[in-house]
Amino acid sequence: YSVARWLADVASVVAEITGQGRVGVIVGGTGLYFKARVEGLSPVPPIPEDVRERWRAFAAVAQDGELHGELARRDPVMAARLAPRDRQRLTRALEVVEATGRSLAEWQTLPGNPLVMAEEAECLVVDRPRADLHRRADQRFDAMVAEGALDEVAGLKAQGLDSALPVMRALGVAPLLAHLNGELALPQAIERGKIETRQYIKRQATWLRRNMSAWRRV
């Protein structure tokens, strides 16, 4: 579910609410979606379907480093920004440079059209004390394991999916997979999953401070 699709859906819902003389309240977690709402997205043109399908097919069979090498040849600026195993973003960058003849890095410097101006909205970042957040995250991870997370990861393992795919990089997947492979005891795998989550919390907090410094913190 891309940021662009989210913006389109939000725009139609907010238009309906505003037309009724009501005020919309948008609540969520991922800061990038909210940033795009008040700043807009870079105006990258639509990618032709044949270009998109060709690069996705290539990505599905490419060896480690092959996608990154191809991007380095065509768009060294974006290649320098992206991790060699980030197939999703590498594929996107290759699609864009082929379809438009311009680097995605160049497109990203162009301003987008915000759906709402920040000064016309009440923009809030709702936070918790870090210790409280860690405690709640630990409880949540325990609950996920109790409710079948191991079975879910076993299902991913059975499909033989590429470890670089986004679903395989979800919080907790790697340590639980290591447990299923006999590499970790379950308590160790759970603790590593919790550590991954705390590290993600830290990255989110850093991102919010950097990108939403003008938003009011609660």
Side-chain angles (χ1 to χ4, degrees):
Y1 191 57
S2 68
V3 179
R5 279 188 62 189
W6 182 82
L7 285 174
D9 288 349
V10 168
S12 62
V13 173
V14 170
E16 179 183 352
I17 291 172
T18 304
Q20 298 169 355
R22 299 158 64 199
V23 176
V25 179
I26 303 174
V27 182
T30 304
L32 175 62
Y33 286 61
F34 287 83
K35 188 171 186 283
R37 177 159 171 71
V38 296
E39 295 182 10
L41 287 176
S42 302
V44 181
I47 305 300
E49 194 60 31
D50 62 323
V51 174
R52 187 185 302 276
E53 288 300 322
R54 183 164 61 253
W55 282 114
R56 291 186 178 183
F58 178 74
V61 298
Q63 300 296 312
D64 284 349
E66 197 172 359
L67 264 181
H68 193 265
E70 188 66 28
L71 183 62
R73 186 174 68 82
R74 294 167 176 259
D75 184 354
V77 175
M78 280 306 299
R81 294 184 182 182
L82 299 176
R85 291 179 60 81
D86 192 343
R87 290 179 180 246
Q88 184 179 29
R89 289 184 173 85
L90 291 169
T91 303
R92 171 64 174 166
L94 283 163
E95 293 171 359
V96 170
V97 73
E98 176 173 329
T100 69
R102 300 168 71 179
S103 170
L104 181 57
E106 186 178 345
W107 285 109
Q108 289 174 341
T109 64
L110 302 177
N113 294 315
L115 289 181
V116 64
M117 304 302 291
E119 57 268 24
E120 297 174 357
E122 181 71 20
C123 299
L124 308 174
V125 174
V126 181
D127 204 357
R128 287 181 176 273
R130 188 61 57 86
D132 184 34
L133 201 53
H134 284 178
R135 178 183 57 79
R136 290 164 61 91
D138 287 352
Q139 290 175 344
R140 179 176 181 271
F141 199 89
D142 286 334
M144 288 195 297
V145 172
E147 293 170 10
L150 273 173
D151 291 336
E152 187 174 352
V153 174
L156 297 176
K157 178 184 177 182
Q159 295 180 60
L161 299 175
D162 187 327
S163 61
L165 287 172
V167 69
M168 299 302 287
R169 293 184 283 112
L171 295 174
V173 169
L176 293 180
L177 186 59
H179 167 67
L180 293 174
N181 289 334
E183 300 165 7
L184 282 178
L186 183 56
Q188 290 176 298
I190 290 173
E191 183 57 30
R192 287 196 186 180
K194 292 176 179 179
I195 291 171
E196 281 187 3
T197 307
R198 294 184 206 122
Q199 291 169 338
Y200 182 66
I201 289 168
K202 183 178 180 180
R203 291 197 300 273
Q204 282 189 316
T206 300
W207 193 96
L208 289 169
R209 285 195 301 271
R210 182 182 301 126
N211 293 279
M212 295 180 168
S213 58
W215 289 41
R216 185 159 67 88
R217 302 188 76 85
V218 178

